[in-house]
Amino acid sequence: MNTLVTGGSGLVGCTIESEFKPTSKELNLLNYEAIHSYLADNKIDSIIHCAAKVGGVKENKENPADFFYENSMMTMNLIEAARVFEVKKIVCLLSTCIFPHEADYPLTVEQIHNGEPHPSNYGYGFAKRMTEINARAYREQYGMNIVTVVPCNIYGPNDNFNMNSGHVIPGLIHKCYKALEEKTDFEIWGTGKPYREFLYSSDAGNIAQWALENYNEPEPLIVSPDEEINIAVLAQQIAWQMGFKGNIVFNQELDGMFRKPSDNSKFKSLLPNYEFVTIENGLTRTIAWFIDNYDKGNIRL
Ligand code: GDP
């Protein structure tokens, strides 16, 4: 089976093996014609759609239009072209950012459309939420097998480690590295009080591949470990693993959503023995990768 992996060089895409992993330069998903000719030239049976414009809370707050436009367009173009070329199966990766910021916990799929996403990332949140509509409508009208997977915050090697635009784990690893190097304080955004669930990138990749072969239901599949981690505790864990013994300071602004605990009961019933990479282990691997690649200039910044 020929599987096109979009975002093949990104955080999740790089963990998935496939002959068909064009870079964004080779296949610009914002351009419908480019996808059309790619599918005309390559016999693609299925797609794992990992490509997305992603960023941390600051980047999302500053550029809601770009996040909305790029994520909506990429997915709409891809699904429409896949329809034309009769692609048999598509797995789309969404995000727990799609949920309303005022919702009952745990976040369940029934609540997806019940209110606005958090104001800090509504551009991204609404665009990703619309992927569920996109999949549902094409399934209903054209009988396409499009499934949606909703992972919590993903991290790992090859992430965007930019301290301004990256997510919390790569951002904090980079900041801690700098604080060690420059003997300064280690600055955390916000109060440190929010909680997040984290998924290691290869787990996200494994589960996307599992979904390609095994999951065919219209209902979005939430994927998250049981554990919620407090941001201050996460920062301490990173400092400890990196050997930082200086001050950890909180700048009080930019907390984003307070919690996003998600309902993983369906995932657990389908894959009861799946063992997620633990946060300790995932951080160790990510920090080692960062340190190894920083001096070589291989870090995406
Ligand atoms: P979010 O889940 O979409 O809010 O994504 P983020 O990964 O950007 O942020 C998660 C939480 O970590 C938020 O509460 C941030 O305020 C907090 N945080 C603390 N320090 C940092 C940092 O250096 N970078 C980022 N991105 N978030 C940070």
Side-chain angles (χ1 to χ4, degrees):
M1 187 156 79
N2 290 344
T3 303
L4 166 63
V5 179
T6 69
S9 56
L11 176 62
V12 178
C14 76
T15 71
I16 302 175
E17 299 269 326
S18 172
E19 260 181 67
F20 301 91
K21 294 199 338 180
T23 62
S24 52
K25 284 198 183 72
E26 288 158 353
L27 175 57
N28 177 5
L29 298 175
L30 294 173
N31 178 346
Y32 177 81
E33 294 306 324
I35 308 173
H36 190 98
S37 58
Y38 185 89
L39 294 182
D41 293 346
N42 298 281
K43 174 77 197 90
I44 295 297
D45 307 297
S46 59
I47 299 174
I48 301 181
H49 181 32
C50 304
K53 178 175 173 61
V54 292
V57 60
K58 184 165 188 277
E59 179 84 348
N60 266 279
K61 240 180 147 168
E62 289 170 357
N63 306 292
D66 295 353
F67 280 91
F68 183 73
Y69 174 75
E70 292 193 23
N71 288 303
S72 304
M73 286 308 282
M74 284 193 272
T75 306
M76 288 199 296
N77 284 338
L78 185 68
I79 290 180
E80 173 58 12
R83 176 189 74 77
V84 172
F85 287 91
E86 298 178 351
V87 173
K88 292 184 192 70
K89 175 87 184 266
I90 308 176
V91 176
C92 295
L93 292 190
L94 312 189
S95 154
T96 49
C97 291
I98 64 175
F99 287 104
H101 73 109
E102 281 169 9
D104 293 334
Y105 293 149
L107 301 167
T108 51
V109 292
E110 295 76 30
Q111 300 186 81
I112 290 175
H113 299 287
N114 285 0
E116 296 237 343
H118 193 269
S120 62
N121 57 18
Y122 71 91
Y124 178 80
F126 267 126
K128 284 282 176 183
R129 190 188 286 186
M130 283 308 113
T131 303
E132 190 279 316
I133 301 293
N134 210 331
R136 197 199 307 177
Y138 276 69
R139 179 181 280 271
E140 189 180 314
Q141 187 176 340
Y142 298 111
M144 287 174 74
N145 190 359
I146 309 176
V147 299
T148 54
V149 172
V150 186
C152 58
N153 291 36
I154 303 173
Y155 71 104
N158 211 23
D159 205 344
N160 170 15
F161 283 85
N162 183 296
M163 291 183 281
N164 269 313
S165 64
H167 281 110
V168 60
I169 290 182
L172 290 185
I173 290 173
H174 193 175
K175 281 192 207 169
C176 188
Y177 187 86
K178 285 272 172 211
L180 273 164
E181 210 176 45
E182 292 162 12
K183 300 193 171 38
T184 52
D185 291 344
F186 175 22
E187 192 196 78
I188 318 301
W189 291 346
T191 57
K193 290 181 182 158
Y195 288 80
R196 291 291 183 273
E197 297 165 332
F198 294 103
L199 182 65
Y200 190 65
S201 53
S202 62
D203 281 333
N206 290 340
I207 293 161
Q209 288 173 92
W210 171 86
L212 185 68
E213 283 153 30
N214 301 288
Y215 189 72
N216 298 307
E217 295 175 34
E219 185 180 310
L221 182 67
I222 296 174
V223 176
S224 56
D226 290 325
E227 199 186 1
E228 264 188 294
I229 296 161
N230 167 258
I231 297 298
V233 171
L234 174 75
Q236 282 157 5
Q237 172 77 233
I238 289 172
W240 181 77
Q241 287 209 19
M242 296 183 78
F244 176 81
K245 298 196 177 69
N247 291 327
I248 298 182
V249 296
F250 296 88
N251 78 2
Q252 305 300 322
E253 288 165 29
L254 268 175
D255 259 344
M257 193 150 154
F258 182 58
R259 289 177 68 198
K260 304 193 236 173
S262 57
D263 175 21
N264 61 6
S265 55
K266 177 150 189 168
F267 174 76
K268 290 209 298 195
S269 73
L270 291 167
L271 277 167
N273 301 319
Y274 192 84
E275 281 185 31
F276 290 105
V277 173
T278 62
I279 185 75
E280 292 78 15
N281 193 342
L283 285 177
T284 307
R285 294 193 214 173
T286 309
I287 291 166
W289 185 90
F290 176 83
I291 292 172
D292 196 34
N293 285 278
Y294 189 81
D295 291 336
K296 296 180 194 154
N298 290 342
I299 304 287
R300 239 179 334 136
L301 291 173

